[in-house]
Amino acid sequence: MYRNILFDLDNTLLDFNRSESEALSSVLSGLGVKPTQELIKLYSRINLSQWKRLELGELTLAETKVNRFRLFFQELGIDASPEDATAKFEGLLHGGFYMISGARELLSDLYGNYRMYIASNGTASVQRSRIAGADIFGFFDGVFISQELGTKKPDADFFEKCFQNIPGFVREETLIVGDSLTSDIRGGNNAGIASVWYNPEKHANTENIMPTYEIARLDDLKAVLDR
C-alpha cells in the first residue's frame, strides 16, 4: 500500500509548456523578434537538451539556464545577452502557474488520504512562486526543490534528502509521479521506489528506463494507488 506520493511539478501538475511559451514570446518581442511556433519549438528543443546535460551532471543549474539562451541566440543570429534574457525569462515565469487538466481535482481527491510532496528540479524562487500562484501549497506535506537541496533528480542523493524529511518513511510505501523518463522515472529507479510515468501524449518509450506504471490521464493514478 502506498502512503507517500512525490509529484513532479512541471508538465505533471503545472503546464510548464504554456508558461514557457508565453514567457519566451515576451522575451523575443522585447528583442524585436516576432515569436512564432517554430521559434518556440526550437527553443524548447535546445532547452531540453541543456536540462538533460544538467541531469547527467555535465552542467550546473546556472550554466543550464544561460546556455539555452546562448545557443538559441547563436542559432538565430541574434546579438543579445543570454544573461539578460535569462533574468527576464525567469521573472516572467514567476507568474506562470497554469494547472494541468485534472491536476487540482486529483490533489483534492487524494488530500488527507496520502502524504503528498512536490519533488522538482529548477530554480527555487520560480517554483515556489508558481506553486503559491496556483494555490496548491495546502495539499502538500513538503516541497523539495533541487536548488535548495543542493542535488537534483535523477540522483539518488536528491531522493535520500527527500526521504529524510518524510516522517516514518518506508521505501515500499512511496512512489514518484512525473512526465520525464530521464529525471523522474530514472530517479525513482535509482532511489528504489515505485514510479508512475505520466505520458498524456502516449510517446513511445525509447529509453532503457522502465517505470513501474504508466498513465495517460492524471485521474488514472487513483487506480494505481488502489492496487
Side-chain angles (χ1 to χ4, degrees), residues 75 92 94 112 114 125 141 143 152 164-166 213 217 226:
E75 184 78 15
L92 292 164
H94 277 79
Y114 300 89
S125 62
D141 294 274
V143 175
K152 64 191 181 309
Q164 292 168 14
N165 291 281
I166 298 177
Y213 310 100
R217 299 184 309 121
D226 288 341

Side-chain angles (χ1 to χ4, degrees), residues 121 145-147 149-153 155 157-159 161:
N121 283 345
I145 300 176
S146 60
Q147 188 179 45
L149 295 184
T151 182
K152 64 191 181 309
K153 297 181 292 183
D155 295 352
D157 187 47
F158 173 92
F159 290 89
K161 289 186 176 181

Side-chain angles (χ1 to χ4, degrees), residues 21-179:
S21 177
E22 292 185 358
L24 181 62
S25 293
S26 182
V27 170
L28 289 173
S29 295
L31 295 172
V33 177
K34 181 180 179 180
T36 64
Q37 282 302 113
E38 289 72 23
L39 292 185
I40 291 169
K41 289 179 180 178
L42 172 62
Y43 170 84
S44 294
R45 289 196 297 271
I46 293 172
N47 182 47
L48 181 60
S49 72
Q50 297 308 289
W51 279 94
K52 288 191 180 297
R53 293 187 65 194
L54 172 71
E55 292 169 8
L56 293 170
E58 297 175 358
L59 297 174
T60 65
L61 178 60
E63 289 170 338
T64 299
K65 292 188 292 186
V66 174
N67 271 8
R68 59 189 177 183
F69 277 104
R70 178 176 292 113
L71 294 171
F72 182 56
F73 290 162
Q74 286 175 355
E75 184 78 15
L76 298 180
I78 295 175
D79 183 16
S81 165
E83 291 81 8
D84 290 347
T86 297
K88 181 175 181 180
F89 181 76
E90 288 208 333
L92 292 164
L93 280 182
H94 277 79
F97 39 80
Y98 307 106
M99 296 290 293
I100 292 287
S101 177
R104 188 178 301 278
E105 292 80 3
L106 175 67
L107 295 177
S108 181
D109 287 346
L110 299 182
Y111 180 70
N113 297 311
Y114 300 89
R115 293 186 297 196
M116 298 190 291
Y117 303 86
I118 288 174
S120 172
N121 283 345
T123 304
S125 62
V126 171
Q127 301 300 63
R128 289 191 174 276
S129 176
R130 296 171 67 231
I131 295 166
D135 193 25
I136 57 175
F137 260 125
F139 290 116
F140 295 98
D141 294 274
V143 175
F144 307 125
I145 300 176
S146 60
Q147 188 179 45
E148 295 175 338
L149 295 184
T151 182
K152 64 191 181 309
K153 297 181 292 183
D155 295 352
D157 187 47
F158 173 92
F159 290 89
E160 292 303 323
K161 289 186 176 181
C162 296
F163 300 159
Q164 292 168 14
N165 291 281
I166 298 177
F169 171 75
V170 176
R171 208 172 295 270
E172 291 75 19
E173 296 177 349
T174 306
L175 57 74
I176 182 168
V177 182
D179 69 299

